[in-house]
Amino acid sequence: MVINLNVNIMVKKLYMVEGSPVANAILMAARAFDVELELQQLDFAKQEYLEDWYLQINPAHTVPALDDDGFIVWDSHVILIYLAETYGSSSTLFSNIPKVKYKILQMLNFNCGTVFRRLSDCLRPIFYENQKTIEQKYLESLKDSYKVLERILESSKFMAADTMTIADISLFSSIAVTDLILPVTDVEYPRLREWLIDMKNTDLYKAGEQGVDTLKNALDVMLEM
Ligand SMILES: N[C@@H](CCC(=O)N[C@@H](CS)C(=O)NCC(=O)O)C(=O)O
């Protein structure tokens, strides 16, 4: 009798907080690549992310961080690439073709350095300083991001290619939340609105929807909306 021992029993643990847009991106990608994750929620109210044990995992004290059987990767954008290259070889969400790959990396970087950072500028004062309103200057910089993405969607159906890639997952994880504080209107940003709706209609969103709802509920309370 031959017993198939080729079963993946390695533990993949994701350190996260429910509602984090960047953690949501990983939950959606894990669904896409059929990767099972054990979720470890950090208690942000108690600043668990600053505790010594977590700084050993992620010296930059951010979530998400992935521990794949002892190999630790942090920063959602890098985790997305790691999951795609390690578990998504048959998927079209990433590519080894240089000109496709660099477009994907470009847009992941745009989310990391611009869209998510601008979203954080809006959210940090609310969650860390109990502010009840979002400063106009932060909303203006979000508008600029919308305009950039609208322009990008003039020449491709998705953010980095004509098919969905991990860049869409990453940017969607931000825009699904920015939409709550600065609606992506059909009139001003028709392509971005259509992309947002298309992304919400994917099966992947089932893995991220709860996180968006959690953040929406928290914002409703904090902003007394
Ligand atoms: N570029 C990072 C950003 C991660 C990030 O800022 N996560 C927030 C939660 S949404 C966090 O952990 N904040 C705690 C801190 O900055 O100390 C990524 O994509 O993973």
Side-chain angles (χ1 to χ4, degrees):
M1 185 169 80
V2 179
I3 299 173
N4 183 5
L5 290 174
N6 190 20
V7 178
N8 192 352
I9 52 163
M10 312 281 193
V11 178
K12 297 169 192 64
K13 188 185 271 193
L14 186 71
Y15 296 90
M16 60 169 286
V17 63
E18 170 115 340
S20 155
V22 274
N24 250 355
I26 306 309
L27 298 180
M28 288 190 280
R31 186 177 181 102
F33 301 132
D34 210 10
V35 169
E36 199 173 320
L37 296 172
E38 182 188 314
L39 306 183
Q40 178 155 344
Q41 304 278 348
L42 296 198
D43 189 337
F44 262 51
K46 291 190 180 144
Q47 297 195 318
E48 210 179 351
Y49 53 94
L50 294 176
E51 289 181 11
D52 281 347
W53 70 268
Y54 189 64
L55 294 176
Q56 300 294 318
I57 291 163
N58 181 356
H61 53 78
T62 56
V63 294
L66 177 72
D67 179 345
D68 187 353
D69 196 37
F71 178 66
I72 293 170
V73 199
W74 47 268
D75 190 284
S76 67
H77 308 87
V78 180
I79 299 171
L80 287 173
I81 299 166
Y82 173 78
L83 289 176
E85 292 195 323
T86 313
Y87 301 106
S89 54
S90 59
S91 163
T92 53
L93 289 172
F94 196 53
S95 175
N96 283 327
I97 301 166
K99 284 184 179 166
V100 182
K101 181 170 86 176
Y102 294 123
K103 286 285 167 197
I104 297 171
L105 297 181
Q106 170 184 281
M107 296 314 293
L108 284 175
N109 199 48
F110 185 62
N111 187 62
C112 184
T114 303
V115 184
F116 177 73
R117 189 177 52 74
R118 289 174 175 176
L119 170 60
S120 293
D121 287 343
C122 294
L123 298 188
R124 277 184 165 271
I126 300 169
F127 290 112
Y128 290 82
E129 294 156 32
N130 274 319
Q131 283 191 22
K132 300 280 175 220
T133 52
I134 301 172
E135 281 184 56
Q136 193 58 32
K137 65 177 180 188
Y138 294 139
L139 293 173
E140 289 303 322
S141 54
L142 275 187
K143 276 187 197 166
D144 174 66
S145 299
Y146 286 3
K147 285 181 193 156
V148 173
L149 296 174
E150 180 72 15
R151 248 176 254 135
I152 285 167
L153 292 173
E154 279 171 15
S155 51
S156 61
K157 187 162 161 38
F158 289 90
M159 292 298 177
D162 276 326
T163 57
M164 194 200 300
T165 68
I166 54 173
D168 294 284
I169 294 179
S170 180
L171 282 156
F172 171 71
S173 73
S174 293
I175 301 295
V177 174
T178 62
D179 186 46
L180 302 173
I181 54 179
L182 180 72
V184 178
T185 66
D186 201 15
V187 176
E188 286 168 294
Y189 318 102
R191 293 179 183 85
L192 189 58
R193 180 88 221 150
E194 195 184 337
W195 169 87
L196 183 62
I197 291 168
D198 285 350
M199 291 298 295
K200 280 193 177 170
N201 285 333
T202 61
D203 179 61
L204 301 189
Y205 186 50
K206 292 196 181 103
E209 194 167 11
Q210 194 178 322
V212 176
D213 287 348
T214 300
L215 196 53
K216 182 182 182 317
N217 293 337
L219 280 171
D220 286 349
V221 172
M222 300 300 282
L223 295 176
E224 294 165 2
M225 280 162 48

